[in-house]
Amino acid sequence: MLKWFIVCVLLFLMPVHAALKVDNRIIVGEEKEGIRTVRIYLNYKDPYRKVAKLQTNSGIFNLDLPLASRWVPSSVKLHVNYLSSLSLKPERSTLSVGLNGKVYHQLSLNQERGKDKSADFSLQPTILEEYNRISIRAIQHYLIDESMCENEVAPELWTEIDLETSYIELQIFEAIVPEKISAISDYIIDNKNIHTSKIHFALTDFSDRSLTYNAFIAGVLGKMQKFSQMKISAGATIQKDIDNIIIGKRSNAIALLKPLFNGDTNAIMQKLKGNINLISNPYNPARVVIVITGDSDIELRNAVYAFATVDFKVYSGQFLKIHDTKIPKPSEAYSAPNFIPTEQKVFFKELGYKTTTFEGIYPAPLSLYFKVYPDYYFSPKDDIITYFNITYPEIVRFDSVANLSLNDIFAYQIKFNKRQEEEGIRINPMKLFSFKDESKFPSYLVNKGNNKLSVDFAMVPYKKGPCELFNLRNLVATVSDDSYIYLPHGIHWVEMPNLRYIASAAYPYSIYPDLQDTAIILTQKSSSAIEAALQTSYYLAQNIGYPPFGLSVSDNLEEHKDKHIILIGKYSSKFDDLFDNAALKFTNNKTNKRYVFDRNFIEYLNPFDSDRLDKYKRLSDVLESDGMIHNVVVEMFRSPYNDDKSVLAFLSDDTANLATNISDLLKGEAQTLYAGDTMIYEPTKRTISSYEIGNKYFYGTLSWFDRIRFWISSHPLFFFISTVGLIMLMAFILRRILLQYKRTHHEDAEA
Amino acid sequence: MEFLKKIYSQIDDEWFIWIFIGLGTLFLLAISSQFVVTSQLYMVYGGLALFILLYIFWRENPYVSLFIKLFGLFLALRYIYWRTTESLEYEGFFDFIGALLIYGAEVYAITIYAMGIFTSLMLLNRRVIDISGYKSEDLPTVDVYIPTYNEPIDMVENTVLASLNFNYPSERYNVFILDDGGTDQKCNDKDIAKGEEARHRREYFQAFCKKNGAHYLTRERNLHAKAGNINTAFLSTTGEYVLILDCDHIPTSDFLKNTAGWLMKDPQMFLVQTPHSFYNPDPVERNLNIFRDAPSENEMFYKHIQKGHDFWESSFFCGSGALIRRSCLDEVGGIAGDTITEDAETALGLHARGYKSAYIDIPMLRGLQAETFAGLVLQRIRWTQGMIQIFLLKNPLRQKGLNWYQKLSYMSASMFWFFSFARVIFLIAPLFYLFFGLKVYNANGTELLAYTLPHIIVALFISFYLYSKVRWSFFSEIYETALSIFTLPAIIEVLYNPRAPDFKVTPKGENLEEDFVSHLAIPFVILLILTGLGFIAAIYRLYFYPQDIYVIVMTTLWNTFNFLLLVIALAITSEKKQLRQYVRIPAQDKAIIKIDGQTFMAQILDLSMGGVAVKIHENKLFEQLLGEKEKDYPLTLLVRDSEQQFTLIQAVYLATIQDKVVLQFVDVEEDIVLRQKLISLIFGENTRWLELDKQERVLSPLQSLGMLITQGFRNVYFKKAFLLTFNTILGYLGKKIMQIIRKGNYA
């Protein structure tokens, strides 16, 4: 018993230590004779979903699959691994595959009595559209005789699709990118991209301004490329095999472009007539170079910022001249487009939802994603309100429900019967009901950062008897896009540092969406560090949904002391002061350890606290390991220059791979592993270890008075004692006031 | 320490007010802070532990008293803040209505609670100003008004006789019977018998007054009830002060001596009010058999609340037992008559003009309480309607001349009478859930433990702390339950038409010759049945909705409490016979008994207007002598009166119970002189009554509840009450059915 107890305690005390998933859900193969093989696993949207269970007599799994403009498919194959219930009768049970509403293949289910099966379905590549929906439907029966009674929702009726191993495989060749400005949004920053694309920033110079412009454009790409990742590289030369971006004066751009045009300056000049130019790569017409340029500083600046505001789709020319650009005013705090506001209705259509009809007994769920600023503190007494506008026919029985979950936690049940009886409004003679359900659930279910609201319908038809067949198509419910979600009033107050907030919400940088109070500081201006900076900018803007007009990139800390600092590179002693508040400090002393722990952290340790000692030992082990030189240390702490700002450091001695490693860390997959205030990424093992060893501080916009209240809230005994003290003092003073009153109003009234 | 004391003494008083306001702001913020369960648990249970400690060790300390009051207020306000912000949820229209009703009732209860604490912050124990040094001619003239309507003649006579006995120069005061039962209107009543009776009454009183030195006044018409009667009398009398006595209120001889001083001292003083005491039990006390065991219902008001009002310069006129400056009344056109509680209304008007009032907590008159529950209900309906009329027509907040604290005091007094709303809601609220599943109180188990339960306990504790000497715990709930069902419609009537209510005289002097159940028991029987069915509903809910166990348990406990209240209320409507005409009061006077020429020294044990119980010193000799005599054998009793003069009273021997000899006075009804002697003896000095009123026993809330439940179950006539209810309902239904049948036949 004791042994188990100790094991449990040790497990509890261990730091978070997790490995990155190795396999990618979208695999783009090497090009062979102009053809690439792209394999997209059926759980590419939700890698943690292992299976799709098709239930009832008609279960369906839908997968939305956009097709990037650059991909021209030559063949399409759907490979499905599945397992059906032993009870299914193959004579009547089928698995069908459809695309965009049309069925193309079907096969009998359970022919081999409960064995795992796989099937390949070929589809004509020409039937693929820009946006596709692949449907796998299982029609399932456990009785052969149609005249016998069968329960449509019997538990025996199931088929599981293994989403981990099922995939759709495309043979594609890459389309030639037209030499038009519109290709920037059609091909380069194509929202239909679901895979990680590559782009190279060819740097004209390494000045702070140039780096800032490059970071800005990287951010604009991130903002425009809403869903997929981009692998950014940077260097002083152009790369012929991928798309390039050049930002700089015309003369500098010409110099960089020369290798592509065999030094033909005139040819280059012909292609650089505007301020934003799209040049086809002569070596590979599927690749382009975007050149953002100008003859003067102002012209260049206008061109750079115009990149964020121009609607490229409407321009068919090869270049674009920018005469003037209106740079938006510095953004207001908490106004990032990707985050939903509090105290106002956010309609589903604003979250990208379109009015949808859900069909069947267990239709595919409605899922909505939204972000909430991590520093919102909602009072436990306040609820989140969702307001659903649902229409359904009378055939949907009274015990039908829609289960609401927030972040996969069941939160509320919409009951169809109640509304029918109490609030149902008959909207037409065909007996359709429309009701508006205002559901409330506790605010603590809201995640700090990413949130998912899902609705699972379970609809049952009215039947006169057990053997009566019903028309499945009658089981429908429409949720209109004027449904909304409403977050209550929240105060901004959060305990820092917490790396998870960076991963889920780019917090605290997202407070000002234009990153006006954020600076990326490079320990040295190496290509790798610059790549990492651009990747970071891309990531932040993608998370925030707004171009980083205010972001600065520099190697000069002095100029940006008052901002949030994101420090990237190999540690340098010139940043010693910056690490004043860090729990883990670094030193360049090569003979001794390359790190020291903050004195506070050492004092925080004591021989009787095994938890802290254990943390200390594990962290020391990692830091002293042989592979440390390749590791990336991520650390967050309070800025020593401004109490309201933080420092985030990405440090590694392996400067060559810093950008790749940081890119790994910024990928969605890694973000789920962010925690604590300190992380160590070991690229060789692909593991992330996170620790909480630093001092805590609070961040937000609370008044001093609210801060006191907040502090008191975590000290109930103090609250009680101080209240008793307050009332004692009041009693003391009140008595004096009463006696004074008595003296003046009832001078000798008493004996 | 000395330094601090020095600073403290040098701080200006005004600064203390500002500091208190500052602290008060923090107090309000603390109320609205920290609504996490841990904090709340610390606060309420820590607070309770502190209360208990302070109560055990320092309960009399004035600072501790203020601390407990403020902390109790703090916890109550935190509770209602929590209710307001976190527990007001509903799912449907009926849930909403139910939740709103309960919430409204709670807000009302806490408002009254807060006002009660304000009124109780400091009590004024006003002294008596000695006027013995004044010459007779320097004393103000006083008119003693005894208004009467239809009360028994002998009741009025006793009050007149007692009034004529005041220790005040007789030439400086006059006693007036203001007879509304003998007006011209009454004497000329169309009903010949009634007219004859009125004429007889008038003639009798005229003769009585003439014989005894009092004055008889009547008027043409019975306009504006008691207020009109008094105001008419003003036209015929000239005294500087007016003493108003209800006709059943027998004053002690020192009444004027003890009260006139304050009016003489302060020309701005318009009123000196004294407490009302009673020599008979009210129906609640009698029917529960707790008379003189527990504090009387009026003690809370007269021994506590009115003293608080006096501190805040708002002690008000209670209709009787008050000396009033005539010039002030003249200024406002006499006794006010817009409402049926003319007394409080008059005081409110004069306070608004800047006049002052005083309250002396010495009981100097004895009256009769309503004998039957129906009489009590009638009386309380009048008070309720009157005070609500004041709230509506003369709202204290709108009276410009009042100070803020006077406004609060009067608001407290008038708003209290809305209690019926809250009590009825509390009675039926658990049934909302048990019968219909309405979720009218939204709290989970933890919240019930953290907020609801401690709120109830703290409220009980504070109530116990403040009032345990003047009203035991749960007595308020009992009175409220018994009266609310009947006063609620009366409130609605006033709200609908504030000028509708008429003045209805409380019947007094009724005899109850046998036990019976009042017709007013019917609503309680119905409620009791419903509450009982609530328990069955609770079992049903527990079986089918086990997940709601916390709510079911809480609601069932609440329902159980209501059930017990209803049983006790039903016991109150189970009227017990009351044949005793005179109330005995304990005494310790010496007496001499003469029988057949022999004299015996005796000690009086108790006495009444009808007789006396004595203990004879030479008991054996007396028994020997008595052994030869029969019942009703005459003897003479010699006792000292209030002036320490020997008085001779004729009596007869009645019985001997152990060593107590009971004697009955002879010809009390007919012999006015004897009655005057007895009145002087019994009502001559208030010290005799002080001894009787002495009530030092304090019961804890649990003991008090236990006692009430025991007495309730012991004294309730379940069978009679249920039979009465069923017969009434069946009778009513039968009547209706017959009407329908008849209609059918005609058709």
Side-chain angles (χ1 to χ4, degrees), chain A residues 95-160:
Chain A
L95 186 76
S96 62
V97 169
L99 183 70
N100 298 330
K102 188 177 175 189
V103 175
Y104 288 95
H105 295 282
Q106 61 176 331
L107 50 77
S108 286
L109 282 170
N110 198 27
Q111 280 181 321
E112 293 183 33
R113 303 287 295 156
K115 285 189 180 169
D116 279 335
K117 286 286 291 176
S118 66
D120 288 314
F121 304 96
S122 290
L123 295 165
Q124 282 298 316
T126 49
I127 60 172
L128 284 183
E129 297 169 5
E130 283 191 335
Y131 293 94
N132 303 282
R133 171 165 283 190
I134 295 166
S135 304
I136 304 172
R137 184 187 289 273
I139 305 296
Q140 307 175 111
H141 296 280
Y142 60 86
L143 294 174
I144 296 176
D145 188 348
E146 285 182 33
S147 63
M148 292 172 75
C149 290
E150 190 178 64
N151 181 358
E152 300 86 348
V153 291
E156 294 91 337
L157 298 177
W158 59 266
T159 294
E160 273 188 0

Side-chain angles (χ1 to χ4, degrees), chain B residues 383-394:
Chain B
W383 292 1
T384 304
Q385 290 191 321
M387 291 310 276
I388 286 167
Q389 279 182 311
I390 286 181
F391 182 82
L392 297 172
L393 303 174
K394 302 274 170 100

Side-chain angles (χ1 to χ4, degrees), chain A residues 3-14:
Chain A
K3 188 176 76 182
W4 282 110
F5 176 74
I6 292 167
V7 168
C8 290
V9 169
L10 284 176
L11 281 173
F12 180 73
L13 294 177
M14 272 171 57

